[in-house]
Amino acid sequence: MPARLKIIGNYISPYVRKVLVCLELKGLDYEIDPIAPFVGNDQFSRLSPLRRIPVLIDDGFVLNDSSVICQYLEDRHPTPALYPADIADRAQARWLEEYCDTRLADGLIWRLFYQLGARRHIFGEATDEAVVKQAREVEIPAALDYLETRLPEDGFLFGLLSIADISIASFFRTASFVRYAIDETRWPRCAALVALVQALPVFQKLARLEECMLRLPLAEQRAALNMRGAPLSIDTYGTSTPRHGSPREL
């Protein structure tokens, strides 16, 4: 019998990873159609009108946007809690999740990863080195400067693991695929938090699936994931030909 929950989205995406971590920690049964948004077919466009991943399908109920999906999973399956119990802390956790999804992602994903990863390897286009330079020297340091002021010296942000910790670690995991690492001498708190979260069993489990497909063409990734036991859906919303869209599809 097929899993009730389906995720559409590639393991490499930080937005998809955030949702998968929530599903795994809550012990929910799910299946995944691990497509990149660049190869989504027309039916995918109907499910995701912005052509972004992830998409959640729960018994025919469709949700878009990783933050909306994670909050939905928390409301439907509140144990273990991934949002702080304290109202003020919960609001701060949501703010930091939003900061990651937008400001941090602007440098790490929509500039750095897209230029060095997606643009080069999916579309075979030259990297815009000016965009990469701006990301490395201006955008990412500015985001890290802010985060460094918000993080504790050690441990998770709010005592227990929360969506804020998961979000921060998810984005730096994807950035590592294009060889970006936090300078721990300049941003020690950021580096320590990311290392702590990425060492968790759930992140390590997903990392093994990410690494098996990381350097493969899109057309070969599904077979590699199947060999590693990923919970793949029978059907797919993917096509064989990538097409341009917004970098924010990632």
Side-chain angles (χ1 to χ4, degrees), residues 112-170:
L112 190 69
F113 180 80
Y114 181 76
Q115 288 293 329
L116 297 176
R119 184 170 183 177
R120 179 184 295 176
H121 298 294
I122 294 177
F123 297 107
E125 297 175 351
T127 297
D128 187 330
E129 297 295 344
V131 172
V132 172
K133 179 179 172 62
Q134 175 77 5
R136 288 190 178 276
E137 297 182 3
V138 179
E139 303 294 340
I140 299 170
L144 280 165
D145 284 344
Y146 173 75
L147 287 175
E148 189 72 10
T149 68
R150 303 301 301 274
L151 303 187
E153 290 186 9
D154 55 53
F156 302 122
L157 271 153
F158 302 102
L160 299 176
L161 179 70
S162 76
I163 193 66
D165 307 296
I166 293 166
S167 297
I168 293 169
S170 290

Side-chain angles (χ1 to χ4, degrees), residues 6-243:
K6 175 185 284 188
I7 293 294
I8 305 172
N10 197 279
Y11 281 97
I12 302 302
S13 164
Y15 300 99
V16 174
R17 183 180 300 106
K18 180 171 62 168
V19 171
L20 294 180
V21 168
C22 291
L23 287 165
E24 292 280 349
L25 290 173
K26 291 179 178 295
L28 300 175
D29 185 32
Y30 68 91
E31 62 183 22
I32 184 169
D33 179 13
I35 67 165
F38 308 110
V39 296
N41 59 21
D42 290 340
Q43 189 174 2
F44 171 75
S45 296
R46 288 190 288 272
L47 292 174
S48 180
L50 299 179
R51 288 187 62 80
R52 296 179 184 175
I53 54 175
V55 178
L56 172 74
I57 304 176
D58 184 359
D59 269 355
F61 175 60
V62 178
L63 270 183
N64 302 103
D65 187 88
S66 62
S67 296
V68 174
I69 293 170
C70 289
Q71 184 64 68
Y72 171 78
L73 293 173
E74 181 80 357
D75 292 342
R76 288 293 300 269
H77 309 278
T79 304
L82 297 177
Y83 292 74
D86 178 82
I87 292 175
D89 286 348
R90 194 182 315 148
Q92 288 298 318
R94 288 172 173 156
W95 156 243
L96 288 170
E97 179 189 14
E98 172 65 15
Y99 187 81
C100 290
D101 285 355
T102 53
R103 185 67 177 90
L104 184 61
D106 187 54
L108 286 178
I109 307 304
W110 303 332
R111 298 178 189 268
L112 190 69
F113 180 80
Y114 181 76
Q115 288 293 329
L116 297 176
R119 184 170 183 177
R120 179 184 295 176
H121 298 294
I122 294 177
F123 297 107
E125 297 175 351
T127 297
D128 187 330
E129 297 295 344
V131 172
V132 172
K133 179 179 172 62
Q134 175 77 5
R136 288 190 178 276
E137 297 182 3
V138 179
E139 303 294 340
I140 299 170
L144 280 165
D145 284 344
Y146 173 75
L147 287 175
E148 189 72 10
T149 68
R150 303 301 301 274
L151 303 187
E153 290 186 9
D154 55 53
F156 302 122
L157 271 153
F158 302 102
L160 299 176
L161 179 70
S162 76
I163 193 66
D165 307 296
I166 293 166
S167 297
I168 293 169
S170 290
F171 280 92
F172 283 102
R173 170 62 178 166
T174 294
S176 73
F177 300 149
V178 290
R179 304 183 188 280
Y180 183 84
I182 300 171
D183 181 348
E184 61 183 21
T185 61
R186 183 173 177 183
W187 300 288
R189 296 187 180 196
C190 290
L193 178 72
V194 168
L196 174 66
V197 178
Q198 291 184 0
L200 294 172
V202 63
F203 266 80
Q204 291 298 301
K205 176 182 178 179
L206 294 174
R208 288 189 287 273
L209 295 173
E210 296 160 8
E211 287 161 5
C212 83
M213 56 174 282
L214 186 57
R215 292 172 178 81
L216 294 177
L218 290 176
E220 299 176 19
Q221 290 180 2
R222 190 178 180 92
L225 288 166
N226 186 52
M227 290 288 290
R228 287 295 183 97
L232 301 181
S233 60
I234 295 174
D235 56 344
T236 180
Y237 293 92
T239 63
S240 57
T241 304
R243 61 181 181 181

